[in-house]
Every structure is written in C-alpha cells, then in structure tokens.
Amino acid sequence: MDVVFIGPPGAGKGTQAQRLCAKLGVPQIATGDMLRAARKAGTELGRKADEFMKLGALVPDEVVIGLVEERVQEPDAAPGFVLDGFPRTVPQAEILDKILAKLGRAIAHVVLLEVPDALILERITGRRVGETTGRIYHLKYDPPPSPDRGEGGERLLLREDDREDVVRPRLVNYSALTAPLVAWYGNKGLLRRVDGVGAVDDVTQAIFRAIGAR
Ligand code: ADP
Ligand code: AMP
C-alpha cells in the first residue's frame, strides 16, 4: 500500500508516519530526513539543500526528486511505503504519479493531517528528535525521559529550522505551494482528511480508520 502524508509543518506527519510504517511493515520515506542526512554527510546535494532549508524554503526539484525516485525502487519499498514531506507542490505530485506509473504502482491514500496554525508554533518549538533513532518527541506532549536525552540515553536534537523566524516562511510556503495539493488529490478521490488535534494515539486511530487499516 502506497500512502502519502500531507499537512503543515509540525502537524504530526513524521510522528504518525513512524507509527503507520510499524503497523504496515513498510518503510517511511521522509524527504526532510533524507536531506538532513545528506547535509550531515557533507555531500554536494546536502550542501545545496542546506542553502534552502535554513531559510525555510523548498529545495529545488532537481535536488529532491532523484532521491525519491531511487528510494521507492529499493527492495524494502516493494510492498508499499509511507511518503512524508513529498510531494510538496502540484508539479512534484505530477512527477510522483509518473514515477509510480512507470513502476506499475499508484498512490492508495493521501492522508491530510489538519492542525490549525495556532497550534503549529508550539508543536514545532517543543519538538526534539533522537540523534540515532530519529524518534520524535515533544517536550510537553510526548516528553522524553529528560529534556536533552531520549530513551536509551540518546542525545536529543533541536532542528535548526524549528526556530520561530524560520517557521514563519515554512508556514507561508505551505499555504502557497503545498496546500493546493488538497484540491488536487481531492479531485482524484484520494484525499483522506484527518483531524490532527488531540492525543497522538487518537490521531493514529483516526488515520487507521481513514485508510481502512486495522
Ligand atoms: P511533522 O512531521 O508534520 O513536521 P512531527 O511529527 O515532527 O510533525 O510533530 C511535530 C511536533 O508535534 C513533535 O514534537 C511531535 O512530538 C508533536 N506532536 C505530534 N503529534 C501530536 C499530537 N497529536 N499532539 C501533540 N503534539 C503532537
Ligand atoms: P520536513 O522535515 O519535511 O519539515 O522538511 C524540512 C525541509 O526540507 C523543508 O523546509 C524543505 O526545505 C526541505 N524539503 C523536504 N521535503 C521537500 C520537498 N518535497 N520539496 C522541497 N523541499 C523539501
């Protein structure tokens, strides 16, 4: 089953994608994580992406599309995948359709996590991510054992682009560039709207119901 998550930054896409992947036994393909890994590895692609990420802008298509095209063809993605952070524009969605069609596959569900802007800033500024596991915490809503250590003692990282001055352009870009995907996938009959406000477990259950998973 090929599933896409869309929603504003901080809506809970990564949190819920990790849970759905564990449930379905398919990989999470998170373009933001892949770009951060490339940046950390110091590759040319990572350096290029960083110029845009630190400003809260989208990285150019030629940087991100190749990553997705390769990743969906890896053996672990044969039974399905959960895409989180891609597509982020209508042109990216058109390209994704072409990539999948060439492979004889198609998106089954697009889960839209709806969270009002008023909650986003608090979610993002409280976010901490485990350095080795990538486990997502929130200082208030999903607290780690201590503010700077996760389970197993791993260090917790604060994303550079989770600062308030970078969150604002990210939200503007979401409204201008990504939100049009709601109508676009709606017209294709693929959109599953899920209320992203509420306890993490309740949102997970709502997603399972929306895509017919048990
Ligand atoms: P996204 O991948 O959409 O940017 P994340 O999954 O990283 O969002 O979640 C952003 C922050 O909000 C994290 O700190 C996460 O722990 C927290 N969070 C996720 N879901 C909920 C929820 N239902 N209620 C409260 N906080 C949440
Ligand atoms: P995320 O982890 O999904 O919040 O993404 C972090 C940053 O990575 C974004 O603000 C963009 O700069 C970049 N990024 C991630 N996915 C994409 C994409 N599909 N297209 C363009 N830029 C992306």
Side-chain angles (χ1 to χ4, degrees):
M1 192 197 283
D2 297 346
V3 177
V4 167
F5 272 64
I6 60 176
K13 301 180 296 295
T15 301
Q16 297 298 339
Q18 288 179 356
R19 289 164 162 242
L20 185 60
C21 287
K23 169 102 182 162
L24 299 177
V26 300
Q28 176 194 8
I29 303 181
T31 44
D33 289 349
M34 294 165 86
L35 294 169
R36 280 185 288 277
R39 188 173 61 182
K40 194 171 170 195
T43 65
E44 180 57 34
L45 186 144
R47 273 196 293 276
K48 182 82 198 156
D50 182 53
E51 291 172 32
F52 298 87
M53 292 168 82
K54 66 184 177 204
L55 301 174
L58 293 188
V59 307
D61 283 354
E62 66 267 22
V63 176
V64 79
I65 287 164
L67 288 177
V68 173
E69 184 160 20
E70 278 178 24
R71 184 66 187 86
V72 296
Q73 295 184 64
E74 283 177 28
D76 64 336
F81 55 72
V82 176
L83 256 179
D84 151 19
F86 187 96
R88 254 180 161 92
T89 62
V90 170
Q92 287 186 0
E94 288 169 344
I95 290 167
L96 177 63
D97 274 357
K98 290 201 184 104
I99 291 171
L100 295 179
K102 266 199 282 177
L103 301 170
R105 41 203 300 185
I107 295 165
H109 306 281
V110 175
V111 175
L112 169 66
L113 273 183
E114 298 187 286
V115 176
D117 275 5
L119 292 183
I120 291 294
L121 198 60
E122 193 195 12
R123 283 204 184 175
I124 291 187
T125 51
R127 169 160 55 192
R128 297 292 183 276
V129 182
E131 185 176 34
T132 42
T133 63
R135 158 92 159 81
I136 301 164
Y137 297 91
H138 189 282
L139 291 180
K140 182 164 157 199
Y141 298 117
D142 189 0
S146 84
D148 53 3
R149 296 279 164 185
E151 277 149 35
E154 68 173 330
R155 268 205 321 154
L156 294 182
L157 304 179
L158 176 57
R159 278 173 48 173
E160 271 176 50
D161 60 349
D162 280 352
R163 290 198 332 252
E164 193 170 339
D165 58 325
V166 190
V167 173
R168 302 228 174 260
R170 288 166 65 202
L171 286 171
V172 170
N173 284 330
Y174 177 78
S175 299
L177 301 171
T178 310
L181 285 174
V182 173
W184 198 81
Y185 280 124
N187 288 334
K188 290 179 174 273
L190 293 175
L191 195 75
R192 318 285 177 248
R193 286 178 185 270
V194 172
D195 183 1
V197 182
V200 172
D201 284 343
D202 294 343
V203 177
T204 305
Q205 289 311 316
I207 292 169
F208 288 176
R209 279 196 302 277
I211 67 170
R214 293 183 165 272

